Structures are given as C-alpha cells and as structure tokens.
Amino acid sequence: MNRENVTELEGKKKKLPSPLQAAGASSFAFAIGAIVPLLVAVFVKDYRVRLGVVVGAVSLALLGFGGLGAYLGKAPLLKSSLRVLIGGWLAMGITFGVTKLVGVTGLYDEEAQLRALLQKSHMSPSSSHSLMASAHFAGPFTEEATGT
C-alpha cells in the first residue's frame, strides 16, 4: 500500500463510531423499547383488547424509533421506518407463536387463570365470586392474582 492509501484508511477509521458507544446506545434503545408494551399492558384488563393495544402501541413506537434512527443516521426515513416496523412485527409474531407452542403467553389472562383455579379447588359459586372480585381488585401482576 502506498502512503496516500494508508492515510485515507486511517481517516476512515477515525470516522467510525466507537463500539462502546454503539453498544451503549443499543442497550439504552432496547430498554426504552421494552418499557412501551409493559406500560400499555398494565392498564388494560381484557386479554384480547390488551393484545391489540400492545401491538398498536409497539407498532407506533417501532415507527418512531425507525424514524429516529433514520434521522440520526441520515438514511431514507420511510425505508428505515418500515424496515424497523416489519422486523419488529416479525419478532413479535415469532415470539408470540413460540410462547403459544410452549404454553406461556406473557399476557396474563386473569379470568381464565381464576376459572382454572376454581375448577381445581371445587369452590362453591358464592365463594368463587368473592375470590374473583378480590383477585380482580388486586390486579393481574400481583402475587395474590398469580398465585406465586
């Protein structure tokens, strides 16, 4: 290699982002992205409605993060946003499908869990209503509702 090529190569290396900065930015973005479905899911009780609301909120977040990445990386906005959105949908679909096969949805279906518990314990109808009311009041993510 001649001296000009070496100097040009060193200049290009200096323009590359730091691997530590890239790792930090990636982990920060992942953590922020993980908060979106959790925040939305906590406020919706019905399983089917929760599923739709989570998919909608996460889709908007994916579009937003794709657009932000395109802006920061000076890439085409629409193409980058759609790439992130479609990749996110694929990841959500695969994850949801695999967890359904395994039998763990990650979206707590409170009423189905309580019905199964009541059937196993053979509780009377009057006591089952009070149990369902107390578990509904406790919320889907508490120890009382999950039985853990």
Side-chain angles (χ1 to χ4, degrees):
M1 287 182 119
N2 62 25
R3 188 174 177 102
E4 289 175 9
N5 287 344
V6 171
T7 308
E8 185 180 324
L9 215 74
E10 287 175 359
K12 285 183 180 180
K13 282 184 181 180
K14 287 182 181 179
K15 290 182 182 179
L16 291 175
S18 160
L20 289 176
Q21 285 179 331
S26 178
S27 61
F28 178 73
F30 186 82
I32 296 299
I35 290 172
V36 173
L38 293 175
L39 285 177
V40 174
V42 167
F43 297 109
V44 181
K45 296 263 183 210
D46 184 58
Y47 173 78
R48 292 184 195 279
V49 174
R50 184 182 318 133
L51 188 62
V53 169
V54 166
V55 169
V58 169
S59 296
L60 288 174
L62 287 168
L63 281 171
F65 288 132
L68 179 63
Y71 174 76
L72 294 174
K74 297 179 177 84
L77 183 68
L78 183 62
K79 183 178 177 183
S80 298
S81 297
L82 289 177
R83 182 179 62 237
V84 171
L85 177 65
I86 292 169
W89 282 348
L90 286 172
M92 284 191 298
I94 291 168
T95 303
F96 188 76
V98 168
T99 56
K100 279 293 196 181
L101 287 174
V102 173
V104 178
T105 62
L107 297 171
Y108 184 75
D109 188 356
E110 180 179 323
E111 292 180 23
Q113 294 291 331
L114 287 171
R115 280 193 297 273
L117 177 67
L118 293 174
Q119 287 176 351
K120 287 180 184 177
S121 66
H122 304 291
M123 293 184 77
S124 68
S126 60
S127 60
S128 69
H129 290 296
S130 63
L131 176 64
M132 288 185 76
S134 65
H136 189 70
F137 175 73
F141 299 109
T142 60
E143 291 178 7
E144 295 87 5
T146 58
T148 57

